[in-house]
Amino acid sequence: MNNEIRIADLLKADTILFPLSASSKEAVLDELIEKLDDAGRLNSKEEMKQAILARESQGSTGIGEGIAIPHAKTAAVKTPSIAFGFSKEGVDFDSLDNQKAHLFFMIAATEDANQAHLETLALLSQMLMDEAFRQELMSAETKEQVLEIITRKEKEIQGENESIVESKELERSTKVVAVTACPTGIAHTYMAADALKKKAAELGIAIKVETNGSGGVKNKLSSQDIEEAAAVIVAADKQVEMDRFAGKIVIEVPVAEGIRNTEELLQRAVEQKGSIYRGGGTSYQDHVQEAKAEKKAKQPAFYKHLMNGVSNMLPFVVGGGIIIALSFMFGIKAVDPNDPSFHPLAKVLMDIGGGTAFQLMIPVLAGFIAKSIADRPGFAPGMVGGLLAATSGSGFLGGIIAGFLAGYIVVGLKKVLAGLPESLEGIKPMLLYPLLGILLTGFVMVYVVSEPIAAANTALGDWLKNMGTGNAVILGVILGAMMAFDMGGPVNKAAFTFGIAMIAEGNYTPHAAIMAAGMTPPLGIALATTLFKKKFTTEERQAGKTAYVLGASFITEGAIPFAAADPTRVIPSLVVGSAVAGGLSMLFGCTLPAPHGGIFVLPVIGNWPLYLVSILAGTMVTALMLKVLKKDAVE
């Protein structure tokens, strides 16, 4: 460590609050920031608070044991500094152990903080792991005593660090390696590293810890370190280099776990209770995940907001749909007390699935779309708008409109109310945003949106119900082709979302075609790798076995790696096969009340034998087209 900069250079009497008067987390932050500003350490109080709150949003810096270390690395800092505050009564700070925090160190690092500063701040984190040191600080009565206790402890730790020879520590029988990293790389990174090293010494475990801090990677793990280790602990809240751990037992946890649950982590590592890391991009499953992540990164904002609503709504649709399907097993009219086939259990199932789960799905859809746009303040207006859509008959489409409407109304409110005095900041999320957001969203839904959308939904439902066989097949072909066109992309999701909307309206045939078509691409590829081995490399044939499982589970993305490798030949084969499956499903009148599940929801599919025929036909068409279009593989 560079000895030219000490903690005493960063923490001065004029940045010590003794005692703190604040009684809430935000008040603590404000008081410490004010102290730094009064001492001339900041360029901007407002920007410093924004940076501190941004770090808190990634996870509380209340680490337990009565300590909180709010910190930021920002241009708002003029001079690298530490502010210290003590509260005898304690403050609720969302700490990891749910206990009040008494000792507060606010670390203010400049945007271009050099390595010496960062290592000094890391040393403070290390000091705070010592219980006796913490007790001394809590017993201090003056600012001078605080500075004296910290200076003495700093010299003590520096002496210990200089006497440690890490190579000797690694000569024990059991070896574990670890990586620690937090978003800012200032406090938690080094606290987790120190906690792991201390506990490993107590347990007689050899350990080497790599820290990914603001100053870069320190104590980097070598290939030999990784090879010799029984397991790898990754305690990180940000991305670290993972490919080097391929084939090793890896235990991944948040960085806070590296501070709080060190003994449990080390025991798991010694006993190799973790998952084998497969490596980035080396396995078929990783190719699928990489392709999905790449698609997601390129998604437009509209699509991301919509999918946030759909993904949160999906559990209600899946659970409710299957429960409704179970009620039909007693008879189509078994829920009607006036029908001879009435069964009480069938009615209870329908009340749970249709009367409750399905009633919640549109409000949840709208609520999470609005939350995606406007964060938490948009959620309540979105939920209310969604419920108005559900009860007015404007249905799924009305719910989507309500979500976007509520989200952007709240975004507008944030801008309009930005000029209010700072003293009113606290009432915005609790009063102004929900009150005005719900009111404005409700008015627009009731007077503008609901009636025309409900009429459009009725017209669409009537068209689908009265649709002739020929038109039904055409619709199935179109939906099927859409499912295979981009395999999880916007076109695929548009078809999927349409199917869910139809389920919500009580029309179960479109989604049956959609799921059949979505299962066909990976199944068709899997069959082709089995029947036409010359067309595929050894790795692709091996991946084809996994594609069987993904296809049967309705995971269309299982075909992405093959399509990415040879798009001009593979994508047309997939589109045609899925179009056949979707068209046949509509021709046979198959129904599906559950939006997901693949073969696992086969018992609830109407006309399931012919449904299987549809999928098998589409699968065969895809496989045969691949045989014709693809060239022989070159290993």
Side-chain angles (χ1 to χ4, degrees):
M1 173 177 164
N2 188 333
N3 292 321
E4 292 181 1
I5 298 177
R6 300 173 300 126
I7 290 175
D9 296 324
L10 304 175
L11 177 64
K12 303 285 188 180
D14 61 354
T15 58
I16 295 177
L17 273 169
F18 206 89
L20 279 167
S21 60
S23 59
S24 67
K25 178 176 179 176
E26 186 165 356
V28 168
L29 299 177
D30 287 338
E31 203 167 342
L32 291 172
I33 291 170
E34 188 71 38
K35 191 67 175 175
L36 287 169
D37 190 56
D38 289 344
R41 307 299 205 278
L42 302 180
N43 293 316
S44 168
K45 283 195 303 182
E46 293 74 17
E47 290 180 19
M48 180 63 180
K49 183 171 182 180
Q50 288 176 8
I52 289 286
L53 291 177
R55 172 59 186 90
E56 291 296 323
S57 70
Q58 297 171 340
S60 176
T61 54
I63 62 171
E65 306 293 350
I67 308 166
I69 312 181
H71 54 274
K73 184 180 177 185
T74 168
V77 176
K78 182 188 298 181
T79 307
S81 305
I82 300 172
F84 170 72
F86 172 69
S87 170
K88 186 175 182 180
E89 294 76 17
V91 177
D92 288 326
F93 207 86
D94 302 328
S95 298
L96 297 175
D97 56 3
N98 296 318
Q99 301 299 314
K100 289 186 175 182
H102 299 272
L103 300 173
F104 300 90
F105 287 88
M106 177 172 284
I107 299 173
T110 56
E111 198 168 36
D112 58 349
N114 62 33
Q115 185 58 31
H117 281 121
L118 295 172
E119 289 184 0
T120 303
L121 299 177
L123 179 60
L124 172 62
S125 303
Q126 186 179 348
M127 292 162 60
L128 288 169
M129 296 306 297
D130 187 328
E131 183 178 356
F133 172 69
R134 298 195 302 268
Q135 290 300 324
E136 274 195 277
L137 282 179
M138 293 180 72
S139 301
E141 296 180 354
T142 65
K143 295 180 180 182
E144 290 71 24
Q145 285 182 358
V146 170
L147 292 172
E148 190 275 327
I149 291 167
I150 290 174
T151 301
R152 177 166 27 91
K153 184 64 177 177
E154 183 175 19
K155 290 179 180 178
E156 176 188 325
I157 288 186
Q158 284 177 350
E160 290 176 359
N161 288 346
E162 289 169 3
S163 66
I164 291 174
V165 181
E166 287 193 355
S167 60
K168 297 294 183 185
E169 292 294 316
L170 298 176
E171 291 175 2
R172 302 177 187 179
S173 57
T174 304
K175 181 177 179 181
V176 172
V177 295
V179 180
T180 62
C182 69
T184 52
I186 294 176
H188 290 59
T189 298
Y190 301 101
M191 295 186 75
D194 195 55
L196 286 165
K197 286 189 281 190
K198 283 189 175 182
K199 184 56 68 173
E202 290 177 21
L203 300 175
I205 299 168
I207 190 169
K208 181 174 180 180
V209 184
E210 171 185 305
T211 55
N212 284 224
S214 287
V217 174
K218 296 296 177 184
N219 207 28
K220 187 174 179 66
L221 301 177
S222 68
S223 57
Q224 184 178 350
D225 293 328
I226 297 166
E227 179 65 29
E228 293 173 353
V232 181
I233 297 170
V234 178
D237 288 340
K238 69 174 185 178
Q239 186 65 39
V240 298
E241 183 188 345
M242 294 293 291
D243 285 355
R244 53 191 165 148
F245 304 137
K248 299 294 294 186
I249 298 290
V250 174
I251 301 165
E252 291 188 75
V253 295
V255 69
E257 291 294 303
I259 300 171
R260 300 292 305 157
N261 297 320
T262 48
E263 183 170 354
E264 179 188 340
L265 284 174
L266 289 165
Q267 292 290 0
R268 284 175 61 191
V270 170
E271 297 168 13
Q272 296 192 318
K273 291 183 177 178
S275 303
I276 295 177
Y277 186 72
R278 298 298 179 187
T282 59
S283 72
Y284 174 72
Q285 297 281 20
D286 291 324
H287 282 305
V288 173
Q289 293 304 319
E290 282 183 356
K292 289 172 73 174
E294 185 178 350
K295 283 176 175 286
K296 188 173 183 180
K298 295 178 180 177
Q299 293 169 357
F302 174 86
Y303 182 74
K304 289 179 182 178
H305 299 323
L306 176 61
M307 285 304 108
N308 188 60
V310 170
S311 62
N312 282 285
M313 175 197 72
L314 204 54
F316 294 87
V317 186
V318 172
I322 293 175
I323 293 169
I324 290 171
L326 291 175
S327 76
F328 290 155
M329 296 176 72
F330 293 92
I332 297 299
K333 297 184 178 181
V335 300
D336 183 359
N338 299 317
D339 193 88
S341 64
F342 172 72
H343 194 289
L345 184 55
K347 186 177 188 307
V348 170
L349 290 170
M350 181 59 75
D351 289 343
I352 295 171
T356 306
F358 264 39
Q359 287 299 311
L360 284 170
M361 69 181 189
I362 292 176
V364 168
L365 167 74
F368 279 96
I369 289 174
K371 184 181 179 184
S372 178
I373 296 167
D375 209 351
R376 189 177 297 176
F379 186 68
M383 285 284 289
V384 172
L387 186 59
L388 286 169
T391 55
S392 68
S394 57
F396 191 83
L397 182 57
I400 292 174
I401 294 172
F404 282 97
L405 175 67
Y408 286 114
I409 281 177
V410 173
V411 168
L413 288 172
K414 288 181 177 181
K415 293 180 179 179
V416 170
L417 301 176
L420 291 179
E422 192 172 338
S423 59
L424 298 179
E425 281 294 318
I427 71 169
K428 287 182 184 178
M430 296 302 298
L431 174 63
L432 299 180
Y433 294 149
L435 172 62
L436 298 175
I438 289 172
L439 190 64
L440 293 172
T441 301
F443 274 135
V444 176
M445 287 300 297
V446 170
Y447 291 112
V448 179
V449 174
S450 293
E451 190 172 336
I453 298 300
N457 277 340
T458 302
L460 178 60
D462 291 341
W463 178 72
L464 287 171
K465 289 175 184 176
N466 298 321
M467 190 166 49
T469 302
N471 288 336
V473 172
I474 292 171
L475 179 62
V477 167
I478 293 171
L479 291 173
M482 291 173 69
M483 288 300 291
F485 180 74
D486 57 358
M487 294 159 286
V491 176
N492 169 287
K493 286 297 189 289
F496 183 76
T497 303
F498 174 77
I500 292 177
M502 291 302 97
I503 289 177
E505 298 299 324
N507 192 321
Y508 303 134
T509 53
H511 203 72
I514 286 164
M515 191 167 83
M519 294 168 67
T520 297
L523 289 176
I525 285 173
L527 183 61
T529 61
T530 302
L531 298 180
F532 315 119
K533 292 181 169 54
K534 290 183 180 180
K535 303 291 182 180
F536 301 91
T537 64
T538 303
E539 184 183 358
E540 287 174 332
R541 292 198 296 272
Q542 191 65 28
K545 298 174 183 177
T546 308
Y548 277 116
V549 179
L550 296 175
S553 304
F554 184 32
I555 301 176
T556 315
E557 291 89 343
I560 290 176
F562 295 89
D566 190 5
T568 58
R569 296 178 179 84
V570 173
I571 292 178
S573 304
L574 304 182
V575 169
V576 173
S578 291
V580 168
L584 287 175
S585 176
M586 291 292 281
L587 176 66
F588 297 144
C590 302
T591 58
L592 175 66
H596 217 291
I599 61 169
F600 302 104
V601 294
L602 199 61
V604 304
I605 296 174
N607 208 359
W608 67 264
L610 289 177
Y611 191 68
L612 288 178
V613 170
S614 304
I615 295 170
L616 290 173
T619 299
M620 283 298 301
V621 168
T622 294
L624 290 172
M625 285 192 65
L626 289 170
K627 178 184 184 323
V628 172
L629 296 179
K630 274 186 71 68
K631 296 179 180 179
D632 289 350
V634 177
E635 292 287 352

